[in-house]
Amino acid sequence: MNTLQRDQWKMATRVLQRFGNGLNQAKNMAQSTGQTVVLSRGLSASNHRNREDSWFKSLFVRKVDPRKDAHSHLLTKNEESNLYKIQFHNVKPECLDAYNQLCEETLPSIHNDKYYPCELVGTWNTWYGEQDQAVHMWRYRGGYPALTEVMSKLRQNKEFMKYREERGKMLLSRRNQLLLEFSFWNEPIPRKGPNIYELRSYQLRPGTMIEWGNYWARAIGYRQHNSEAVGGFFSQIGNLYMVHHLWAYKDLEAREATRNAAWQHEGWDEVVYYTVPLIQHMDSRIMIPMKASPLQ
């Protein structure tokens, strides 16, 4: 008997003891008040055995996996994986040029300053998809402690706080997510351009992230031939069960040719067949890098 079964047995014993004590109290009360309790011994014993049998079956009918690891630990490179933040800023159409200039003046200074344990992975404008939108991705080496340190230091940075104030005047809305990277994807590194980038976002059905990871651990091998795979991520905070795949192509024609070529690899059709049912919603953005983006 393992530890989990022993704990379940102890819990069942305590409940049955309380149940027995309750019957004894009821019996004593009935006797003290002169009430007569008439029971059919055969029926009572049968019901009691059925209740016990039902109770113990309810304890052991489901096998509980004793693993204590979170799913994120099974999907990432290691326990100290990089933390990523992705930001989506919807900009007032008339302010887009001024917004881009403001970002190009401010974001590289944070990226290049070793005082902040973070890196600008990429910064883009959406070309096809949501219009007048900017997408920024940051990497925090050291996970949540690094994120906390950066946020604390930036609040003391007067230039950054002024940037936030000016940026706020140009935005219609904004949202962000905290992400971890899949262990089987490459870590995003700076690349020369010109390129266009596609951010494919998948809202998965709850409970299917491990299954998705198992299929894509195989599938990524079919999508490396033109160095198009940039990074793969899944959400930790924000919209949950959200996956983002980031791809780079020379142009839209190269994108079409590369995606079509994947179907020539044996096994790619199987991956698509089995992963499509895991998706609740999917979205694609074609993005153009800003001048300050390390991913060009």
Side-chain angles (χ1 to χ4, degrees):
M1 181 180 294
N2 61 33
T3 302
L4 179 61
Q5 289 174 324
R6 283 198 298 271
D7 291 343
Q8 290 174 329
W9 182 269
K10 290 178 182 178
M11 181 175 65
T13 302
R14 287 196 297 268
V15 173
L16 291 175
Q17 286 174 345
R18 288 197 295 269
F19 181 76
N21 292 338
L23 288 178
N24 289 332
Q25 290 175 2
K27 180 180 178 181
N28 294 335
M29 184 178 294
Q31 290 175 345
S32 65
T33 57
Q35 296 177 357
T36 301
V37 180
V38 181
L39 295 174
S40 170
R41 291 184 178 180
L43 180 60
S44 175
S46 176
N47 288 342
H48 184 65
R49 283 195 301 270
N50 289 340
R51 282 195 297 270
E52 285 189 29
D53 184 60
S54 176
W55 169 253
F56 283 104
K57 282 183 178 179
S58 71
L59 288 178
F60 299 107
V61 68
R62 289 186 62 190
K63 293 183 179 180
V64 180
D65 186 354
R67 176 182 288 278
K68 300 301 182 182
D69 292 341
H71 285 176
S72 59
H73 290 172
L74 303 178
L75 293 168
T76 54
K77 291 181 171 64
N78 53 60
E79 293 183 358
E80 298 180 355
S81 292
N82 298 321
L83 183 69
Y84 292 81
K85 178 170 68 176
I86 189 167
Q87 301 171 299
F88 300 94
H89 292 173
N90 292 315
V91 185
K92 297 176 182 178
E94 66 274 16
C95 297
L96 187 58
D97 289 340
Y99 171 90
N100 287 346
Q101 182 176 352
L102 183 65
C103 290
E104 289 165 2
E105 292 172 353
T106 307
L107 301 187
S109 64
I110 300 171
H111 170 76
N112 294 323
D113 193 339
K114 301 303 181 182
Y115 179 66
Y116 302 102
C118 65
E119 304 162 10
L120 182 63
V121 176
T123 179
W124 305 268
N125 287 129
T126 300
W127 185 22
Y128 290 105
E130 293 190 51
Q131 296 294 285
D132 305 311
Q133 185 182 72
V135 180
H136 311 289
M137 180 175 284
W138 294 87
R139 174 168 48 223
Y140 300 87
R141 295 195 184 276
Y144 290 105
L147 172 67
T148 301
E149 180 182 348
V150 170
M151 294 298 100
S152 177
K153 289 179 176 179
L154 286 178
R155 282 193 291 269
Q156 309 302 319
N157 185 326
K158 294 182 179 179
E159 292 185 2
F160 179 79
M161 297 307 294
K162 182 178 179 181
Y163 154 78
R164 287 193 59 179
E165 182 180 355
E166 291 300 315
R167 184 190 67 184
K169 300 173 184 177
M170 304 177 186
L171 297 183
L172 293 171
S173 64
R174 60 192 179 100
R175 61 186 177 90
N176 60 24
Q177 295 174 358
L178 294 181
L179 315 170
L180 294 177
E181 57 187 337
F182 285 110
S183 60
F184 46 85
W185 277 74
N186 299 326
E187 179 179 302
I189 59 174
R191 65 170 67 195
K192 298 179 180 179
N195 295 292
I196 63 170
Y197 290 82
E198 181 177 19
L199 182 66
R200 296 178 70 87
S201 302
Y202 304 89
Q203 179 68 60
L204 302 187
R205 299 183 184 279
T208 62
M209 187 65 73
I210 294 293
E211 190 175 356
W212 177 275
N214 287 338
Y215 282 115
W216 267 95
R218 251 187 328 127
I220 193 64
Y222 306 133
R223 298 295 309 274
Q224 298 276 22
H225 300 285
N226 294 325
S227 301
E228 68 268 26
V230 177
F233 315 90
F234 61 98
S235 61
Q236 286 290 282
I237 297 179
N239 290 351
L240 298 179
Y241 289 98
M242 178 69 73
V243 170
H244 298 287
H245 291 175
L246 184 61
W247 308 93
Y249 306 100
K250 291 300 179 184
D251 49 39
L252 290 175
E253 290 79 11
R255 171 186 177 273
E256 182 179 19
T258 300
R259 289 178 57 80
N260 288 340
W263 291 94
Q264 307 306 314
H265 297 286
E266 183 178 355
W268 174 253
D269 55 344
E270 180 182 346
V271 170
V272 174
Y273 178 84
Y274 285 110
T275 55
V276 166
L278 309 181
I279 302 170
Q280 286 186 330
H281 174 75
M282 58 188 296
D283 188 60
S284 171
R285 292 174 176 82
I286 301 296
M287 307 182 303
I288 304 296
M290 293 187 192
K291 294 178 182 179
S293 178
L295 288 170
Q296 285 293 317

